[in-house]
Amino acid sequence: MIQKLIVCICMGIALLYSSVIFAQTKRFDVVVYGSTPAGIAAAVQAARGGVKVLLVEELYQVGGVLTGGLAYIDFRTFESVQGFFREYMQGVHNYYAGRYGLNSKQVTDSYNGLQAEPHVARYVFDSILANAGVTVLTNYRLQKAYVRTVNGKPTLYSAEFKHAKSKLLQKIDATVFIDATYEGDLMAAAGCAFRIGRESRETYGEIFAGKVYLKDGRFMLGSTGQGDRAIQGYNFRICMTDSAENGLPVPKPANYNRNTYMPLLVAIQNGQITAVSDQILKLRSIPNRKFDVNDKHMANSISLARPGWSWDWPEGNEQKRAEIFKRHLDYTLGFLYFIQNDDAIPEKIRTEAKQLWLPKDEFTENNHFTPTIYVREGRRLKGVKTFVEKDCQQAPNTVRGYLRNDAVAVGDYGLNSHGCDEPHAYHPGVRDGAFSFATSNLPYQVPYTVMVPEKMEGLLVPVAISSSHVGFSALRYEVIWSSLGQAAGFAAVLSLKQKKQLRSVPVTLLQKQIHEAGGITIYFSDVQPADKWFRVFQYFGTKGYFHNIPEWGTVAFEDHLKFIGNNQYTPAFPHHAAQPQIKMDDRLAKHWLQLAGQANHPLLTRNYSNMTRAEFLTELYKIEHREK
């Protein structure tokens, strides 16, 4: 009964989406282009702020790669995952608990609601959007952006979209636009400056910049550090199942060419590869006997991603992207068919590969294969602030990263780039541009200004953010993008209600709203949104009160990476505890009061030694806000 109800709800929402067609130019307060998780977060948060919001999506479904097969979410510590993404996780948990029971295997396999089947992720996003009152247009592709000069500044004020089937052109006016596409399509159409490719090592002084080969943490011969137009390789995050009852065989592509996969066969025959899981493919289990199947990028020169094939995607028109998509699709289906059926593949590997099927209950509109290619990197905005390699590393004379007082999000993963080009002749097993480096990367703050274009008004860009290629490799994750999208939604409402440009919204008020919604702008291992002093610690932490506590020095974190769970997530980051319940001491009290400009405040004369840190900062918070 519950299953039938869920199916009816999903069909009803889909009908609601497809039936929304306007006969003439319409106006909304906020238009979000791209229903990535960041775009959904932005649209939902803006709608909750009481403004009229439209979310436009090119595909037939919302959710980006999360409804397209990506279920094994990238981050390190659960303490860094807050705000809108936690709401999504709760929705996933509630779905599985409601349908299968709280103690079911499905609930366990969802891992606190983190890992969902594609159709479940779609249901959760559809429900959140519907409950927030967001108007959604699917199957509409951007055609043109309209910019005019307002008070001497270029301002985006309208955009035109074309329906994929009817070819209907629909013009939409708005005061605020949010480009939440992976490619940065709207910001480019509006004329914003952007980057594509890799900077040289000299541009920002980044170790991993330019042409680079990295293996076992060491730079290899051929690492020149020169910039170029290369970007990370794309692939599909394929949803597959080991249930024959719910499975369909992988079809053989019409243009199948066995020779394409000979490098993989050579590696198998040489004994380098003896199994499918974690050698040929990265398989991660999700509920109901399904898997998130990904590229195995650091182990082999050949897997699902094809370095170099993605370079023309970001600026490609509709036809060019369709060609690139088809090339990846044929290659991927051929790859799977090859390891399942080719007689030269050892029987042990073929038998393991044949256990994988396309699920009957996923992507029923698209032949049971994802409609979404994994765009790891597209255009990157040239914004007010450019996020670079050092922004996610430890700052001097502190246990934390660099302080960003205007932070609106927190990242916690590290530098990670799938290969950008084919392997070098000297190193046939290592893709050019592949690196994964997390040892010295602490939880890092992401400033508001990475979303703000250098010159364009009326636009925020929370996904194709302002960063170097290397810096982007630490930000390109759905958890971080969702936080930035939620912040963009808050900023849009502030801009509208205060009649200010997006670049001029009061960031302290924006941060306050983020904290009230359970989002974070500074990382703590022991203060969570449910704690009564959560907002107090976020407020003072973002101002730097925990960056230079007197008794702390510089700490190395090389021993931290002890993984838990499914070999992905780690315990809370060390030396990032606020310790709210320990007693104050004289040195720390004077330090904090000095930072607050309250060195002579009567609070000093009180017996603060009997106060905890939480009590002290709560009193200081009241003083600061009372005096404002």
Side-chain angles (χ1 to χ4, degrees):
M1 184 64 184
I2 294 176
Q3 182 178 9
K4 290 182 179 178
L5 176 62
I6 290 169
V7 170
C8 289
I9 291 173
C10 285
M11 289 178 64
I13 293 173
L15 287 171
L16 173 64
Y17 288 179
S18 62
S19 64
V20 180
I21 299 176
F22 304 117
Q24 57 186 5
T25 299
K26 291 292 182 178
R27 178 166 185 82
F28 288 80
D29 297 313
V30 178
V31 170
V32 181
Y33 183 50
S35 70
T36 59
I40 295 172
V44 167
Q45 197 57 65
R48 288 173 178 169
V51 301
K52 189 178 178 183
V53 181
L54 174 68
L55 175 63
V56 185
E57 168 56 41
E58 180 177 355
L59 296 180
Y60 65 82
Q61 65 176 17
V62 302
V65 292
L66 287 198
T67 56
L70 190 156
Y72 198 64
I73 312 298
D74 289 320
F75 62 87
R76 285 189 299 189
T77 67
F78 275 89
E79 291 75 14
S80 68
V81 184
Q82 306 296 350
F84 179 82
F85 206 87
R86 281 282 181 174
E87 181 178 348
Y88 162 76
M89 290 171 59
Q90 188 63 51
V92 172
H93 173 84
N94 291 347
Y95 175 94
Y96 285 119
R99 181 169 179 181
Y100 300 103
L102 190 58
N103 298 317
S104 64
K105 178 172 171 54
Q106 286 84 354
V107 168
T108 300
D109 290 347
S110 75
Y111 205 42
N112 301 309
L114 184 63
Q115 296 165 357
E117 299 161 88
H119 75 272
V120 174
R122 182 178 176 182
Y123 166 76
V124 171
F125 282 134
D126 283 346
S127 300
I128 293 173
L129 285 164
N131 290 334
V134 177
T135 302
V136 181
L137 282 179
T138 54
N139 288 304
Y140 274 84
R141 190 176 197 272
L142 177 69
Q143 299 298 300
K144 185 177 181 180
Y146 294 85
V147 176
R148 62 189 174 196
T149 301
V150 179
N151 296 325
K153 298 178 181 178
T155 303
L156 177 61
Y157 73 95
S158 188
E160 188 174 83
F161 304 92
K162 182 178 71 175
H163 191 269
K165 297 178 180 178
S166 70
K167 307 304 179 183
L168 175 71
L169 289 176
Q170 178 62 63
K171 190 167 181 281
I172 309 290
D173 295 346
T175 304
V176 174
F177 285 85
I178 296 173
D179 182 351
T181 62
Y182 293 119
E183 298 88 353
D185 285 338
L186 179 56
M187 62 101 164
C192 294
F194 58 86
R195 307 171 178 88
I196 293 180
R198 300 184 286 190
E199 292 82 6
S200 71
R201 197 167 295 165
E202 288 73 28
T203 304
Y204 296 111
E206 297 171 308
I207 296 173
F208 291 95
K211 198 172 186 68
V212 60
Y213 299 87
L214 186 74
K215 189 172 185 180
D216 300 325
R218 296 179 290 107
F219 289 101
M220 305 182 73
L221 184 65
S223 297
T224 65
Q226 295 174 337
D228 54 27
R229 62 185 291 263
I231 58 174
Q232 295 184 57
Y234 298 173
N235 60 268
F236 297 102
R237 296 295 287 261
I238 315 168
C239 182
M240 305 194 79
T241 179
D242 64 4
S243 169
E245 295 77 15
N246 188 35
L248 294 167
V250 175
K252 180 181 179 180
N255 60 352
Y256 175 74
N257 184 351
R258 179 177 182 268
N259 293 331
T260 303
Y261 312 103
M262 285 300 99
L264 177 62
L265 181 59
V266 170
I268 292 173
Q269 292 173 338
N270 290 341
Q272 297 171 254
I273 295 174
T274 59
V276 174
S277 181
D278 281 342
Q279 292 190 34
I280 297 177
L281 302 170
K282 185 176 180 180
L283 300 175
R284 292 296 179 262
S285 61
I286 62 176
N288 287 319
R289 297 179 62 181
K290 293 175 186 172
F291 300 90
D292 172 354
V293 181
N294 192 15
D295 174 57
K296 189 66 181 173
H297 82 112
M298 293 298 288
N300 305 305
S301 61
I302 181 168
S303 185
L304 293 181
R306 298 314 306 140
W309 290 13
S310 61
W311 293 6
D312 292 331
W313 179 280
E315 292 190 281
N317 59 21
E318 189 173 2
Q319 179 181 349
K320 172 57 70 173
R321 287 186 183 175
E323 291 170 358
I324 296 171
F325 186 98
K326 181 67 163 53
R327 186 183 185 191
H328 280 83
L329 176 62
D330 289 344
Y331 168 82
T332 302
L333 292 175
F335 185 97
L336 295 172
Y337 182 86
F338 176 73
I339 63 175
Q340 288 183 338
N341 297 283
D342 196 283
D343 290 339
I345 299 291
E347 184 177 356
K348 174 179 177 291
I349 294 178
R350 269 188 291 132
T351 300
E352 183 185 356
K354 283 183 177 180
Q355 295 176 14
L356 297 174
W357 307 76
L358 298 179
K360 293 178 181 177
D361 60 346
E362 299 290 354
F363 311 118
T364 55
E365 306 96 326
N366 199 57
N367 297 317
H368 308 280
F369 195 86
T370 175
T372 307
I373 196 167
Y374 189 9
V375 178
R376 288 191 172 89
E377 183 177 12
R379 303 178 185 91
R380 304 188 306 278
L381 173 72
K382 283 188 178 181
V384 174
K385 156 72 180 174
T386 299
F387 191 98
V388 299
E389 184 180 89
K390 80 169 190 176
D391 287 314
C392 61
Q393 296 177 344
Q394 188 173 357
N397 304 315
T398 180
V399 297
R400 291 181 169 269
Y402 287 87
L403 178 64
R404 305 301 178 203
N405 295 123
D406 65 338
V408 293
V410 169
D412 182 24
Y413 194 68
L415 303 170
N416 181 278
S417 173
H418 283 237
C420 299
D421 203 354
E422 297 294 345
H424 192 281
Y426 290 115
H427 309 291
V430 184
R431 298 175 189 170
D432 168 26
F435 58 81
S436 183
F437 190 75
T439 301
S440 67
N441 299 137
L442 290 70
Y444 35 95
Q445 296 174 286
V446 187
Y448 174 65
T449 44
V450 300
M451 298 191 290
V452 181
E454 286 180 321
K455 297 178 181 179
M456 184 65 60
E457 305 293 353
L459 176 66
L460 289 175
V461 186
V463 177
I465 43 185
S466 180
S467 60
S468 66
H469 166 77
V470 179
F472 188 80
S473 78
L475 298 176
R476 62 175 189 87
Y477 309 103
E478 301 299 335
V479 170
I480 302 173
W481 281 335
S482 294
S483 296
L484 289 168
Q486 186 173 26
F490 275 123
V493 176
L494 279 174
S495 172
L496 289 164
K497 292 188 175 181
Q498 295 193 355
K499 300 187 185 306
K500 291 185 176 181
Q501 296 291 354
L502 290 162
R503 68 182 68 248
S504 302
V505 298
V507 174
T508 53
L509 181 54
L510 174 58
Q511 291 167 337
K512 180 176 181 290
Q513 293 179 345
I514 291 170
H515 301 157
E516 289 172 347
I520 59 175
T521 54
I522 187 76
Y523 181 95
F524 288 114
S525 60
D526 59 348
V527 177
Q528 301 302 307
D531 297 326
K532 62 182 179 181
W533 45 70
F534 169 75
R535 284 181 284 170
V536 171
F537 277 82
Q538 284 293 313
Y539 172 78
F540 285 112
T542 306
K543 295 185 73 173
Y545 281 51
F546 288 85
H547 266 68
N548 294 292
I549 287 184
E551 63 266 27
W552 289 355
T554 300
V555 179
F557 296 101
E558 283 77 3
D559 296 329
H560 170 58
L561 298 180
K562 299 174 182 177
F563 295 101
I564 61 175
N566 210 3
N567 204 27
Q568 167 83 18
Y569 310 113
T570 73
F573 212 87
H575 307 289
H576 281 59
Q579 299 178 295
Q581 297 286 39
I582 69 170
K583 298 294 184 181
M584 288 294 297
D585 62 74
D586 183 72
R587 189 178 180 192
L588 183 58
K590 290 181 178 178
H591 176 65
W592 277 349
L593 286 166
Q594 186 174 19
L595 286 176
Q598 301 285 354
N600 298 316
H601 197 278
L603 184 62
L604 265 179
T605 64
R606 295 175 54 183
N607 186 17
Y608 52 76
S609 60
N610 290 327
M611 301 174 71
T612 64
R613 287 184 176 181
E615 291 168 338
F616 185 89
L617 286 180
T618 298
E619 288 297 318
L620 192 55
Y621 183 86
K622 291 177 181 177
I623 291 170
E624 282 209 7
H625 286 75
R626 186 163 55 242
E627 293 184 354
K628 287 181 181 178

